[in-house]
Amino acid sequence: MKEAVIFDLDGTLWDPTGCACILWNRVLAKHSDVKILMTQEKVSGLMGKTMEEIGETLFPELSETQRMAIVDEYGDEEVKYLYENGAVLYDGLEETLKELRCRYELFIVSNSQDGYIPAFLHSHKLEDYFKDIEMSGRTGLSKGSNIKLIIERNGIDSAVYVGDTEWDEKAAGDAEIPFIWAKYGFGKALAPDGIIESVKQLPQILSALEKRH
């Protein structure tokens, strides 16, 4: 039986908000028609959204073409920066991944732009821990559909999704798998199947979840 843990990325495995704020303001400074100063709070509120949703949230007054031009410019800058510099990993992440991969196959599904997950993996040398990844920026699909895609593509028999927002919870529901809420991240959850206050608690919560089922 092939068992899997599928992860969200932002707010679950790492915190990229510090560099994201700097990169956003660098890009926005090039666009005189946009009067926004990005803050840490605003960046945190964007976590979990697709690039299209981010454009709608930040620039509702602009046309879709104008919005996506800015968002795509930011996305390219972000991937380049993160590929070389990385961001802040949550405490105990690699040790937890080492423990989990002895029992489960590990995957990442994110609403990010294409290239974002590879930047995370490369910058922190974590490629060997994950069997497969998927991004909405590559497939154009919703997070729930991408979770299903990962499950089908890899012949997974049983899976859980670990994320930090209500959108992650909804995606897990759409994929009909249990959801574990990373409470330390950027969002909320309504009725998760498990809650972790640190990524280091994940093996214990997974064991408890298996006993309930």
Side-chain angles (χ1 to χ4, degrees):
M1 184 172 179
K2 187 178 287 190
E3 298 177 290
V5 181
I6 308 173
F7 292 92
D8 169 53
L9 181 45
D10 293 342
T12 303
L13 300 178
W14 73 352
D15 179 355
T17 54
C19 60
C21 189
I22 295 170
L23 293 170
W24 265 117
N25 285 323
R26 186 184 299 170
V27 169
L28 294 174
K30 301 175 186 178
H31 298 271
S32 58
D33 54 334
V34 175
K35 307 298 182 185
I36 296 178
L37 180 64
M38 193 61 73
T39 64
Q40 291 286 114
E41 184 178 3
K42 287 179 182 177
V43 168
S44 295
L46 299 175
M47 294 297 156
K49 296 180 182 291
T50 64
M51 299 305 278
E52 290 79 10
E53 290 167 340
I54 289 172
E56 292 171 5
T57 300
L58 293 178
F59 320 114
E61 74 282 4
L62 301 181
S63 69
E64 183 178 356
T65 300
Q66 290 173 308
R67 288 198 299 257
M68 290 312 300
I70 298 173
V71 168
D72 286 345
E73 182 180 348
Y74 168 77
D76 291 343
E77 287 286 327
E78 186 180 39
V79 167
K80 288 176 189 175
Y81 178 89
L82 293 173
Y83 190 83
E84 296 300 330
N85 300 284
V88 179
L89 298 182
Y90 287 113
D91 184 45
L93 176 64
E94 188 163 7
E95 294 84 352
T96 302
L97 295 176
K98 283 180 182 177
E99 182 177 350
L100 290 175
R101 73 172 174 182
C102 295
R103 172 82 188 271
Y104 308 95
E105 292 192 357
L106 308 181
F107 304 85
I108 304 175
V109 172
S110 168
N111 268 345
S112 62
Q113 67 271 36
D114 192 12
Y116 189 83
I117 301 176
F120 160 76
L121 296 174
H122 174 267
S123 60
H124 294 286
K125 298 179 172 58
L126 297 173
E127 296 98 333
D128 291 344
Y129 291 102
F130 296 95
K131 295 285 187 179
D132 198 1
I133 62 172
E134 200 52 85
M135 299 152 281
S136 64
R138 181 162 71 180
T139 65
L141 300 174
S142 69
K143 182 171 279 187
S145 295
N146 279 328
I147 292 172
K148 289 180 182 178
L149 183 62
I150 283 284
I151 290 171
E152 293 167 4
R153 193 159 71 200
N154 292 277
I156 296 167
D157 299 301
S158 174
V160 300
Y161 190 60
V162 185
D164 66 309
T165 70
E166 60 191 278
W167 300 290
D168 293 331
E169 185 175 19
K170 181 182 182 302
D174 291 343
E176 301 180 330
I177 62 173
F179 175 68
I180 295 176
W181 177 40
K183 187 177 180 180
Y184 53 84
F186 302 117
K188 298 179 180 180
L190 298 176
D193 298 282
I195 300 173
I196 53 173
E197 297 188 6
S198 162
V199 71
K200 292 184 284 189
Q201 295 176 347
L202 188 53
Q204 178 184 351
I205 295 297
L206 287 168
S207 295
L209 191 63
E210 286 177 8
K211 289 175 182 177
R212 295 210 307 265
H213 289 78

